[in-house]
């Protein structure tokens, strides 16, 4: 995990599926591109807890797995 202040100036993007109005129930997942090419992911309800960092290849593999339904049993 990374400290919040290290990434305070990043542009965080929240998933459109994270809002309360579309069934997300307020579970807010955000992602931001880092200057070195990695991707940071955090819970916007608790940004003080930090972020998990992924390489672009790791993020690509994760997104492809999600699109393929490989994690559907976890929802």
């Amino acid at each position: 995990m990374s400290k919040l202040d290290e990434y305070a100036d990043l542009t965080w993007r929240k998933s459109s599926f994270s809002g309360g109005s579309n069934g997300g129930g307020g579970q807010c997942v955000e992602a931001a591109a880092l200057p070195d090419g990695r991707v940071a992911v955090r819970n916007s309800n608790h940004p003080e807890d930090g972020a998990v960092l992924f390489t672009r290849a790791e993020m690509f593999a994760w997104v492809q797995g999600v699109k393929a339904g490989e994690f559907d049993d976890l929802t």
Side-chain angles (χ1 to χ4, degrees):
M1 297 294 266
S2 302
K3 300 289 183 200
L4 173 65
D5 56 343
E6 294 179 56
Y7 303 112
D9 294 333
L10 296 177
T11 301
W12 291 92
R13 293 186 281 173
K14 187 184 298 185
S15 168
S16 63
F17 292 92
S18 293
S21 64
N22 57 9
Q27 293 78 16
C28 299
V29 176
E30 294 181 309
L34 298 175
D36 66 4
R38 294 180 296 166
V39 177
V41 177
R42 72 178 183 184
N43 178 344
S44 67
N45 288 329
H46 302 283
E48 69 280 359
D49 289 345
V52 179
L53 306 182
F54 298 94
T55 66
R56 291 285 176 153
E58 290 167 337
M59 195 67 178
F60 179 81
W62 169 257
V63 170
Q64 293 304 311
V66 169
K67 287 180 178 180
E70 294 175 4
F71 304 99
D72 289 355
D73 63 312
L74 300 175
T75 61

